[in-house]
C-alpha cells in the first residue's frame, strides 16, 4: 500500500511569490491533516479535512494560506504571497475514521519550503 | 489550551544504558498521549500510544495523570534507537473531530556506541 505522498519535496521561492503544496493521502482515508514545523519550533497543526469539508482550520496562521480538498481526495495548500516566516517543513497526514477510537495518523515525508 | 513540553532538545546515551525521554503535558480533559519517532531520512511514525499499553521496540511509556507526564523509557539503549522523538497529545476520540495532534518540540536522541 502506498503511503501519504507530498509534492514537491523541496521548494525555494522568493518573498511575495506563490507556492502550492500538494498532498495525496492513503487511498480511502477520509481524514487529512496539514501540519508545519518552523525552524527550532514544534510541529503545529494547521487544519483538518474530513473528506472535502474543513473540520477544523483553527491552526491556519492567516489568510495568506488557503487549503482545498476538492472531491475529497488530494489536498493542496497554497501560500500567497509567501513571507520569510513561512519557511519550514509542511507535513500532511491522513487517517481512516473509526468512531470512538483513535485514528492513527500516517504522515507524509513533508515539503521543505524556503522563502528567501 | 493544550500544551506538550519536552525539556530536552538533545540527549546522548551510551549503548546499553537506560533511556528516559521526558514529556509533560497540560490539557483540560482526558487526553490521548503518543510518542512519534522520526528516524534519519524516514517519515514521522507512531511509536506508541498510552491507551494500548504496549512495549514497542523495547520502549514503554506510562501516563501519570497526577504529574501530567508521559515519559518514554527503555532499559537498554541500542544504536538503532538514534532518532528524533516527539511527544504528542490529542483530544479523546469520543469527541469526534478532535483528533488534531499537539506536539512537543522534540528530543534528538543519540546513542553512543
Amino acid at each position: 500500500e502506498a503511503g501519504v505522498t507530498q509534492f514537491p519535496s523541496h521548494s525555494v521561492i522568493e518573498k511575495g511569490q506563490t507556492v502550492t503544496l500538494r498532498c495525496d493521502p492513503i487511498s480511502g482515508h477520509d481524514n487529512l491533516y496539514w501540519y508545519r514545523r518552523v525552524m527550532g519550533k514544534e510541529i503545529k497543526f494547521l487544519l483538518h479535512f474530513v473528506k472535502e469539508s474543513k473540520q477544523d482550520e483553527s491552526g491556519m496562521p492567516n489568510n495568506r494560506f488557503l487549503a482545498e480538498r476538492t472531491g475529497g481526495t488530494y489536498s493542496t495548500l497554497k501560500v500567497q504571497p509567501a513571507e520569510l516566516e513561512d519557511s519550514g517543513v509542511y507535513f500532511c497526514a491522513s487517517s481512516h475514521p473509526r468512531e470512538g477510537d483513535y485514528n492513527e495518523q500516517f504522515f507524509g515525508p513533508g515539503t521543505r519550503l524556503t522563502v528567501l | 489550551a493544550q500544551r506538550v513540553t519536552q525539556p530536552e532538545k538533545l540527549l546522548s546515551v551510551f549503548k546499553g544504558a537506560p533511556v528516559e525521554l521526558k514529556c509533560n503535558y497540560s490539557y483540560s480533559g482526558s487526553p490521548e498521549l503518543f510518542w512519534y519517532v522520526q528516524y534519519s531520512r524516514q517519515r514521522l511514525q507512531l511509536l506508541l500510544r498510552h491507551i494500548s499499553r504496549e512495549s514497542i521496540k523495547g520502549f514503554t511509556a506510562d501516563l501519570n495523570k497526577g504529574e501530567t507526564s508521559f515519559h518514554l523509557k527503555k532499559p537498554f539503549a541500542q544504536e538503532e534507537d538514534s532518532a528524533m522523538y516527539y511527544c504528542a497529545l490529542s483530544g479523546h476520540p469520543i469527541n469526534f473531530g478532535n483528533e488534531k495532534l499537539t506536539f512537543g518540540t522534540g528530543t534528538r536522541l543519540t546513542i553512543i556506541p
Side-chain angles (χ1 to χ4, degrees):
Chain A
E1 178 185 293
V4 177
T5 57
Q6 293 186 245
F7 182 83
S9 56
H10 292 86
S11 180
V12 181
I13 61 172
E14 293 192 350
K15 175 182 171 180
Q17 289 186 318
T18 297
V19 63
T20 300
L21 314 181
R22 173 172 169 142
C23 168
D24 286 77
I26 292 171
S27 178
H29 281 192
D30 289 343
N31 291 315
L32 188 149
Y33 306 82
W34 282 99
Y35 296 87
R36 75 171 178 179
R37 182 179 63 215
V38 296
M39 182 73 77
K41 298 201 172 180
E42 68 270 30
I43 300 169
K44 279 196 168 180
F45 167 80
L46 295 177
L47 88 160
H48 169 203
F49 283 100
V50 177
K51 297 185 180 177
E52 66 274 10
S53 299
K54 291 176 185 173
Q55 175 75 25
D56 181 354
E57 51 184 330
S58 61
M60 294 287 264
N62 51 61
N63 59 10
R64 294 185 293 103
F65 288 74
L66 175 64
E68 294 180 325
R69 193 183 181 194
T70 307
T73 54
Y74 71 91
S75 174
T76 57
L77 180 65
K78 182 194 288 190
V79 185
Q80 178 183 30
E83 298 288 343
L84 299 179
E85 64 264 24
D86 301 332
S87 295
V89 181
Y90 289 76
F91 294 101
C92 177
S94 72
S95 72
H96 185 68
R98 286 188 299 170
E99 190 173 342
D101 191 13
Y102 173 70
N103 313 311
E104 179 178 349
Q105 295 182 30
F106 295 86
F107 280 78
T111 292
R112 182 174 294 278
L113 174 64
T114 302
V115 183
L116 303 176
Chain B
Q2 51 198 67
R3 188 182 183 93
V4 176
T5 303
Q6 292 180 252
E8 304 136 330
K9 280 194 183 327
L10 304 169
L11 182 64
S12 294
V13 172
F14 283 101
K15 178 182 172 182
V19 176
E20 182 177 45
L21 301 175
K22 291 186 168 49
C23 172
N24 288 87
Y25 68 91
S26 63
Y27 185 79
S28 55
S30 184
E32 290 260 4
L33 272 296
F34 311 88
W35 278 97
Y36 276 79
V37 61
Q38 188 169 24
Y39 300 102
S40 179
R41 296 189 186 85
Q42 293 186 27
R43 58 188 65 192
L44 198 61
Q45 58 187 283
L46 179 65
L47 178 63
L48 55 80
R49 51 187 287 217
H50 88 268
I51 205 161
S52 61
R53 295 185 158 276
E54 293 173 305
S55 172
I56 305 292
K57 300 184 178 184
F59 285 98
T60 58
D62 291 319
L63 180 60
N64 185 323
K65 291 185 178 180
E67 295 182 359
T68 59
S69 69
F70 188 57
H71 303 326
L72 184 67
K73 300 177 184 180
K74 183 169 182 176
F76 308 104
Q78 298 172 292
E79 288 185 62
E80 55 264 34
D81 296 330
S82 293
M84 192 76 176
Y85 290 80
Y86 294 94
C87 184
L89 71 77
S90 75
H92 196 279
I94 203 167
N95 299 322
F96 181 72
N98 192 22
E99 302 96 352
K100 68 181 180 187
L101 292 168
T102 297
F103 287 90
T105 49
T107 299
R108 181 168 297 283
L109 176 65
T110 301
I111 305 303
I112 305 165

